[in-house]
Amino acid sequence: MKILLKFAIFTICILALPKFTLAQCNEYTKKECIPLLNPYTFNGQLNNAVLSQGETAELQLTFYKDQEYRILVKGETQLGKLQFQLFDTEYNLLYDNADEDHTNIWDFMVESTDDFIIRVLVPENMTKGEIESGCVSILIGFRAFGSRTIFK
């Protein structure tokens, strides 16, 4: 009976761990990332995941004509500088933050409503030590076109 009870407790702990990790990631996103979208309006979608060094994640989103957008990709500091790229649905590269010293924010507009893919790459661990993992957030802010001055 004691073995069965220990097994049940162990199983519950293992099943609860992903929910606990996701809750921590949600808190990180809400406290550390959403405020960085200002002055854009947060679209309400919490897109986050726990990633390890060397991993990649993709997210497909629709962007609408006559809207200005801000993409924010931010990860916990132990992950290093994150790379993010924007592709069309045929995987033609449209933007790569590696060309801009791995900035975590990019503001843009689209000419017509369409689907796009955001790819996030967590850098490899170069020290061959313990592999780090942490929360990575991909957030989208928007505002109506013409609501700010555009500088060239």
Side-chain angles (χ1 to χ4, degrees), residues 10-38:
F10 176 76
T11 303
I12 290 170
C13 289
I14 293 297
L15 293 175
L17 186 60
K19 292 183 192 298
F20 178 72
T21 303
L22 184 59
Q24 285 182 321
C25 202
N26 283 343
E27 283 302 308
Y28 169 78
T29 301
K30 289 175 184 176
K31 289 182 179 178
E32 301 293 327
C33 303
I34 291 175
L36 298 176
L37 288 173
N38 194 32

Short mmCIF file of all heavy atoms in Angstrom, two decimals, residues 10-38:
data_model
loop_
_atom_site.label_atom_id
_atom_site.label_comp_id
_atom_site.label_asym_id
_atom_site.label_seq_id
_atom_site.Cartn_x
_atom_site.Cartn_y
_atom_site.Cartn_z
N PHE A 10 4.30 10.45 -6.74
CA PHE A 10 5.34 10.69 -7.75
C PHE A 10 4.70 11.03 -9.10
O PHE A 10 5.10 11.97 -9.79
CB PHE A 10 6.25 9.47 -7.87
CG PHE A 10 7.27 9.58 -8.96
CD1 PHE A 10 8.40 10.38 -8.79
CD2 PHE A 10 7.12 8.90 -10.15
CE1 PHE A 10 9.34 10.50 -9.79
CE2 PHE A 10 8.05 9.00 -11.17
CZ PHE A 10 9.17 9.82 -10.98
N THR A 11 3.68 10.27 -9.49
CA THR A 11 2.99 10.49 -10.76
C THR A 11 2.33 11.86 -10.79
O THR A 11 2.42 12.58 -11.79
CB THR A 11 1.95 9.38 -11.01
OG1 THR A 11 2.61 8.11 -10.98
CG2 THR A 11 1.25 9.56 -12.34
N ILE A 12 1.68 12.24 -9.72
CA ILE A 12 1.04 13.56 -9.64
C ILE A 12 2.06 14.67 -9.78
O ILE A 12 1.85 15.65 -10.49
CB ILE A 12 0.22 13.68 -8.34
CG1 ILE A 12 -1.00 12.77 -8.40
CG2 ILE A 12 -0.20 15.13 -8.10
CD1 ILE A 12 -1.74 12.63 -7.09
N CYS A 13 3.21 14.52 -9.12
CA CYS A 13 4.27 15.54 -9.20
C CYS A 13 4.80 15.66 -10.63
O CYS A 13 5.02 16.76 -11.13
CB CYS A 13 5.41 15.21 -8.25
SG CYS A 13 4.96 15.43 -6.52
N ILE A 14 5.02 14.54 -11.29
CA ILE A 14 5.52 14.56 -12.66
C ILE A 14 4.51 15.21 -13.59
O ILE A 14 4.86 16.00 -14.48
CB ILE A 14 5.88 13.13 -13.14
CG1 ILE A 14 7.07 12.59 -12.36
CG2 ILE A 14 6.13 13.10 -14.64
CD1 ILE A 14 8.35 13.39 -12.55
N LEU A 15 3.23 14.91 -13.42
CA LEU A 15 2.20 15.49 -14.27
C LEU A 15 2.00 16.98 -13.99
O LEU A 15 1.64 17.74 -14.88
CB LEU A 15 0.88 14.75 -14.09
CG LEU A 15 0.87 13.30 -14.59
CD1 LEU A 15 -0.46 12.64 -14.24
CD2 LEU A 15 1.12 13.24 -16.09
N ALA A 16 2.23 17.43 -12.77
CA ALA A 16 2.04 18.83 -12.41
C ALA A 16 3.22 19.70 -12.81
O ALA A 16 3.06 20.91 -12.99
CB ALA A 16 1.80 18.96 -10.90
N LEU A 17 4.40 19.13 -13.01
CA LEU A 17 5.59 19.92 -13.33
C LEU A 17 5.44 20.77 -14.58
O LEU A 17 5.76 21.96 -14.55
CB LEU A 17 6.82 19.00 -13.44
CG LEU A 17 8.16 19.70 -13.63
CD1 LEU A 17 8.44 20.62 -12.45
CD2 LEU A 17 9.27 18.68 -13.78
N PRO A 18 4.93 20.25 -15.71
CA PRO A 18 4.77 21.12 -16.88
C PRO A 18 3.83 22.30 -16.64
O PRO A 18 4.07 23.39 -17.12
CB PRO A 18 4.21 20.19 -17.95
CG PRO A 18 4.62 18.83 -17.54
CD PRO A 18 4.64 18.86 -16.03
N LYS A 19 2.77 22.08 -15.87
CA LYS A 19 1.84 23.17 -15.57
C LYS A 19 2.52 24.23 -14.71
O LYS A 19 2.32 25.43 -14.90
CB LYS A 19 0.60 22.63 -14.88
CG LYS A 19 -0.26 21.77 -15.78
CD LYS A 19 -1.50 21.31 -15.07
CE LYS A 19 -2.25 20.26 -15.77
NZ LYS A 19 -2.79 20.49 -17.02
N PHE A 20 3.36 23.82 -13.77
CA PHE A 20 4.09 24.75 -12.92
C PHE A 20 5.08 25.56 -13.75
O PHE A 20 5.18 26.77 -13.63
CB PHE A 20 4.82 23.98 -11.81
CG PHE A 20 5.64 24.86 -10.92
CD1 PHE A 20 5.05 25.71 -10.01
CD2 PHE A 20 7.03 24.83 -11.00
CE1 PHE A 20 5.81 26.54 -9.19
CE2 PHE A 20 7.80 25.64 -10.19
CZ PHE A 20 7.18 26.50 -9.28
N THR A 21 5.79 24.89 -14.66
CA THR A 21 6.75 25.56 -15.52
C THR A 21 6.04 26.55 -16.44
O THR A 21 6.51 27.67 -16.63
CB THR A 21 7.54 24.54 -16.35
OG1 THR A 21 8.16 23.61 -15.47
CG2 THR A 21 8.59 25.19 -17.21
N LEU A 22 4.92 26.16 -17.02
CA LEU A 22 4.15 27.04 -17.88
C LEU A 22 3.64 28.25 -17.10
O LEU A 22 3.67 29.37 -17.61
CB LEU A 22 2.99 26.29 -18.52
CG LEU A 22 2.15 27.07 -19.52
CD1 LEU A 22 3.02 27.56 -20.68
CD2 LEU A 22 1.01 26.23 -20.04
N ALA A 23 3.21 28.04 -15.87
CA ALA A 23 2.74 29.15 -15.05
C ALA A 23 3.87 30.14 -14.79
O ALA A 23 3.66 31.36 -14.83
CB ALA A 23 2.17 28.63 -13.73
N GLN A 24 5.08 29.65 -14.54
CA GLN A 24 6.22 30.54 -14.34
C GLN A 24 6.52 31.31 -15.62
O GLN A 24 6.85 32.49 -15.57
CB GLN A 24 7.45 29.74 -13.92
CG GLN A 24 7.41 29.27 -12.49
CD GLN A 24 8.68 28.53 -12.12
OE1 GLN A 24 9.22 27.78 -12.92
NE2 GLN A 24 9.14 28.76 -10.90
N CYS A 25 6.42 30.65 -16.75
CA CYS A 25 6.67 31.30 -18.03
C CYS A 25 5.61 32.38 -18.30
O CYS A 25 5.94 33.45 -18.80
CB CYS A 25 6.69 30.25 -19.14
SG CYS A 25 7.57 30.75 -20.62
N ASN A 26 4.37 32.10 -17.98
CA ASN A 26 3.31 33.10 -18.15
C ASN A 26 3.57 34.33 -17.28
O ASN A 26 3.37 35.46 -17.72
CB ASN A 26 1.95 32.51 -17.82
CG ASN A 26 1.41 31.61 -18.92
OD1 ASN A 26 1.88 31.66 -20.05
ND2 ASN A 26 0.43 30.80 -18.59
N GLU A 27 4.02 34.11 -16.05
CA GLU A 27 4.33 35.24 -15.16
C GLU A 27 5.49 36.06 -15.71
O GLU A 27 5.45 37.29 -15.67
CB GLU A 27 4.66 34.74 -13.74
CG GLU A 27 3.44 34.35 -12.95
CD GLU A 27 2.45 35.49 -12.80
OE1 GLU A 27 2.84 36.60 -12.38
OE2 GLU A 27 1.26 35.28 -13.13
N TYR A 28 6.53 35.39 -16.20
CA TYR A 28 7.67 36.09 -16.82
C TYR A 28 7.18 36.95 -17.98
O TYR A 28 7.55 38.12 -18.11
CB TYR A 28 8.71 35.08 -17.30
CG TYR A 28 9.78 35.67 -18.19
CD1 TYR A 28 10.83 36.39 -17.64
CD2 TYR A 28 9.72 35.53 -19.57
CE1 TYR A 28 11.81 36.96 -18.44
CE2 TYR A 28 10.68 36.09 -20.38
CZ TYR A 28 11.73 36.80 -19.82
OH TYR A 28 12.69 37.36 -20.63
N THR A 29 6.33 36.38 -18.83
CA THR A 29 5.82 37.10 -20.00
C THR A 29 5.01 38.32 -19.57
O THR A 29 5.18 39.41 -20.11
CB THR A 29 4.97 36.17 -20.87
OG1 THR A 29 5.78 35.07 -21.29
CG2 THR A 29 4.42 36.88 -22.09
N LYS A 30 4.14 38.14 -18.60
CA LYS A 30 3.28 39.25 -18.16
C LYS A 30 4.08 40.37 -17.51
O LYS A 30 3.82 41.55 -17.76
CB LYS A 30 2.22 38.73 -17.19
CG LYS A 30 1.16 37.88 -17.86
CD LYS A 30 0.21 37.29 -16.83
CE LYS A 30 -0.79 36.36 -17.48
NZ LYS A 30 -1.65 35.70 -16.47
N LYS A 31 5.05 40.02 -16.67
CA LYS A 31 5.78 41.04 -15.92
C LYS A 31 6.93 41.67 -16.70
O LYS A 31 7.17 42.86 -16.61
CB LYS A 31 6.32 40.45 -14.62
CG LYS A 31 5.25 40.14 -13.60
CD LYS A 31 5.84 39.60 -12.33
CE LYS A 31 4.75 39.32 -11.32
NZ LYS A 31 5.29 38.73 -10.09
N GLU A 32 7.67 40.86 -17.45
CA GLU A 32 8.90 41.33 -18.09
C GLU A 32 8.73 41.72 -19.55
O GLU A 32 9.53 42.51 -20.06
CB GLU A 32 9.99 40.24 -18.00
CG GLU A 32 10.34 39.81 -16.59
CD GLU A 32 11.02 40.91 -15.80
OE1 GLU A 32 11.77 41.70 -16.39
OE2 GLU A 32 10.80 40.95 -14.58
N CYS A 33 7.75 41.18 -20.23
CA CYS A 33 7.67 41.36 -21.69
C CYS A 33 6.54 42.27 -22.15
O CYS A 33 6.78 43.16 -22.97
CB CYS A 33 7.53 39.99 -22.36
SG CYS A 33 8.88 38.87 -21.96
N ILE A 34 5.34 42.07 -21.68
CA ILE A 34 4.20 42.85 -22.16
C ILE A 34 4.44 44.36 -22.03
O ILE A 34 4.12 45.10 -22.97
CB ILE A 34 2.89 42.40 -21.48
CG1 ILE A 34 2.52 41.00 -21.97
CG2 ILE A 34 1.75 43.38 -21.78
CD1 ILE A 34 1.30 40.40 -21.30
N PRO A 35 5.02 44.86 -20.93
CA PRO A 35 5.26 46.31 -20.85
C PRO A 35 6.16 46.85 -21.96
O PRO A 35 6.07 48.04 -22.31
CB PRO A 35 5.92 46.48 -19.47
CG PRO A 35 5.43 45.32 -18.67
CD PRO A 35 5.33 44.19 -19.66
N LEU A 36 7.01 46.01 -22.54
CA LEU A 36 7.92 46.46 -23.60
C LEU A 36 7.22 46.70 -24.93
O LEU A 36 7.81 47.27 -25.85
CB LEU A 36 9.05 45.43 -23.80
CG LEU A 36 9.94 45.20 -22.59
CD1 LEU A 36 10.94 44.08 -22.87
CD2 LEU A 36 10.66 46.47 -22.19
N LEU A 37 5.96 46.29 -25.06
CA LEU A 37 5.19 46.55 -26.28
C LEU A 37 4.73 48.00 -26.39
O LEU A 37 4.37 48.45 -27.47
CB LEU A 37 3.98 45.62 -26.36
CG LEU A 37 4.26 44.16 -26.66
CD1 LEU A 37 2.99 43.34 -26.53
CD2 LEU A 37 4.89 43.98 -28.02
N ASN A 38 4.71 48.71 -25.30
CA ASN A 38 4.25 50.09 -25.26
C ASN A 38 5.01 50.93 -26.29
O ASN A 38 6.21 50.78 -26.42
CB ASN A 38 4.46 50.64 -23.84
CG ASN A 38 3.72 51.92 -23.61
OD1 ASN A 38 2.66 52.13 -24.17
ND2 ASN A 38 4.29 52.77 -22.80
#
